[in-house]
């Protein structure tokens, strides 16, 4: 399975030490050692920017050994923390990281990224505090999280919510996670689509997630990656519209105008002003980061 991970084109590969490994010390130890040996092999491992490790939760007997061994591997820089319910969980994680780094000096503190997995009703109630967490240890991790991730199946198990294909029952929770992440400048990673063979449904769920404000989505199977990556970037039509807005507003501002009317293909003329400029700038920024072509605009 570790070797198969090298063939996926996903932006990040999450190596799981939690649910995919049986809950025995022998199995957890074997998984840690296998992963460490695999990632020490510089000839085959993914680049550090694509590596993340999902640890066992802080209240399990496996957490301390998970994080201690992972911190010894230089290429592991991102940790996905399951079952984050409160600030106490994050403070426990930061304490373990700082203690290990101070003792061993194996990894620069500022190279570590933490992603909190939101999996329970309690986590939703504490979401603002979790997203706004600052380490008690000052400079650790820049003092905050880098992202929120929604674990829908665990959340449904905790809350007795019944997941359906409409996703209606998760709308409030997903919206809360995406909005809170944006409020604190964090990445917002949407839930897994469990219907991994139905790519049409996956695309629908991706569009839904992007419309809610999520910046990415978890994949549970390699066949999902292409659909997710192609959906979580602006379409050619969105990019063209954004490029037109920025070009026309630049002309308007040079003429001391604060708003313009923009003719939209197959639609009415839209009134464009400052908020829509910001939206257009965001679209162009994401398109450029994804290496997509930006059509040049001329008078």
């Amino acid at each position: 399975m570790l070797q198969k991970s090298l063939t996926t084109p996903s932006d990040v590969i999450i190596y799981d030490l939690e649910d995919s490994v049986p809950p025995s010390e022998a199995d957890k130890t074997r998984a840690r050692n296998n992963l460490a040996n695999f990632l020490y092999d510089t000839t085959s491992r993914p680049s550090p920017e694509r590596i993340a490790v999902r640890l066992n939760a802080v209240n399990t007997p496996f957490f301390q050994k998970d994080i201690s061994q992972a911190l010894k591997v230089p290429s592991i820089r991102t940790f996905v923390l399951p079952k984050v319910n409160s600030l106490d969980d994050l403070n426990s994680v930061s304490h373990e990281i700082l203690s290990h780094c101070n003792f061993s000096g194996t990894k620069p503190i500022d190279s570590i990224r933490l992603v909190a997995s939101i999996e329970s009703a309690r986590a939703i109630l504490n979401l603002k505090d979790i997203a706004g967490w600052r380490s008690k240890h000052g400079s650790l991790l820049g003092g905050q999280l880098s992202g929120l991730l929604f674990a829908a199946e665990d959340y449904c198990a905790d809350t007795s919510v019944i997941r359906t294909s409409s996703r209606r029952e998760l709308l409030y929770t997903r919206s809360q996670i995406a909005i809170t992440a944006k409020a604190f400048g964090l990445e917002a990673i949407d839930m897994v689509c469990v219907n991994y063979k139905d790519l049409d449904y996956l695309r629908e769920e991706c569009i839904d997630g992007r419309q809610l404000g999520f910046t990415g989505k978890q994949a549970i199977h390699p066949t999902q990656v292409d659909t997710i990556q192609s959906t979580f970037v602006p379409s050619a039509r969105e990019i063209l519209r954004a490029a037109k807005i920025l070009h026309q507003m630049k002309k308007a501002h040079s003429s001391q105008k604060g708003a313009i009317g923009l003719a939209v293909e197959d639609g009415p003329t839209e009134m464009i002003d400052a908020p829509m400029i910001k939206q257009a700038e965001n679209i162009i920024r994401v398109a450029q980061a994804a290496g997509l072509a930006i059509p040049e605009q001329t008078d």
Side-chain angles (χ1 to χ4, degrees):
M1 289 297 291
L2 291 174
Q3 288 296 328
K4 285 184 178 180
S5 71
L6 300 175
T7 65
T8 179
S10 62
D11 297 319
V12 175
I13 305 167
I14 301 177
Y15 295 100
D16 187 19
L17 296 176
E18 191 204 14
D19 290 343
S20 65
V21 181
S24 73
E25 185 56 48
D27 287 309
K28 297 293 186 182
T29 298
R30 189 178 304 110
R32 290 186 207 106
N33 291 339
N34 288 342
L35 179 59
N37 292 335
F38 172 72
L39 294 178
Y40 269 123
D41 183 358
T42 57
T43 62
S44 63
R45 73 179 181 211
S47 63
E49 293 74 20
R50 297 185 64 217
I51 296 172
V53 175
R54 188 193 311 275
L55 307 173
N56 285 277
V58 296
N59 61 350
T60 68
F62 312 115
F63 168 74
Q64 286 188 329
K65 290 183 180 179
D66 281 355
I67 198 163
S68 177
Q69 184 151 343
L71 286 165
K72 296 175 184 177
V73 182
S75 59
I76 299 177
R77 301 176 184 175
T78 300
F79 297 91
V80 178
L81 309 173
K83 300 174 177 61
V84 173
N85 293 315
S86 69
L87 295 181
D88 289 341
D89 295 330
L90 295 172
N91 287 331
S92 296
V93 172
S94 68
H95 176 76
E96 287 297 324
I97 294 174
L98 187 67
S99 297
H100 179 88
C101 290
N102 285 343
F103 177 76
S104 64
T106 56
K107 190 184 298 285
I109 288 176
D110 60 0
S111 71
I112 300 170
R113 289 163 49 90
L114 295 183
V115 177
S117 185
I118 305 303
E119 308 184 11
S120 67
R122 186 180 171 205
I124 292 298
L125 288 177
N126 292 328
L127 193 58
K128 181 180 176 181
D129 290 337
I130 291 171
W133 170 76
R134 296 293 185 271
S135 171
K136 293 180 178 179
H137 305 297
S139 63
L140 179 63
L141 317 168
Q144 63 183 48
L145 296 174
S146 62
L148 299 178
L149 176 151
F150 181 39
E153 299 309 311
D154 294 275
Y155 176 80
C156 289
D158 181 71
T159 59
S160 300
V161 166
I162 299 173
R163 186 168 175 178
T164 70
S165 59
S166 74
R167 301 174 299 280
R168 179 184 60 188
E169 65 283 348
L170 296 174
L171 177 60
Y172 170 80
T173 302
R174 292 168 73 209
S175 296
Q176 284 290 100
I177 292 171
I179 291 169
T180 306
K182 294 300 176 69
F184 289 92
L186 309 181
E187 295 293 323
I189 310 303
D190 200 10
M191 60 190 184
V192 163
C193 178
V194 293
N195 300 335
Y196 68 93
K197 292 186 177 181
D198 188 342
L199 296 184
D200 289 334
Y201 178 77
L202 171 63
R203 183 174 298 279
E204 177 185 317
E205 194 169 285
C206 288
I207 292 171
D208 182 41
R210 182 171 173 242
Q211 289 174 342
L212 288 175
F214 284 95
T215 51
K217 187 174 183 68
Q218 303 164 78
I220 199 172
H221 192 276
T223 58
Q224 296 180 317
V225 174
D226 287 343
T227 299
I228 292 172
Q229 289 181 333
S230 64
T231 310
F232 272 88
V233 293
S235 66
R237 183 170 181 172
E238 287 177 293
I239 296 171
L240 176 60
R241 177 177 178 273
K244 285 182 176 180
I245 288 173
L246 296 182
H247 177 71
Q248 293 297 327
M249 285 305 299
K250 183 177 180 180
K251 288 176 57 181
H253 288 166
S254 66
S255 301
Q256 299 176 339
K257 297 178 180 178
I260 60 168
L262 180 71
V264 180
E265 183 181 354
D266 300 327
T269 298
E270 291 183 316
M271 181 59 67
I272 307 298
D273 56 8
M276 299 184 78
I277 295 175
K278 185 175 181 180
Q279 294 175 28
E281 289 173 340
N282 289 337
I283 288 172
I284 296 299
R285 175 180 51 79
V286 172
Q288 290 174 332
L292 302 178
I294 312 299
E296 184 177 352
Q297 300 298 302
T298 59
D299 294 332

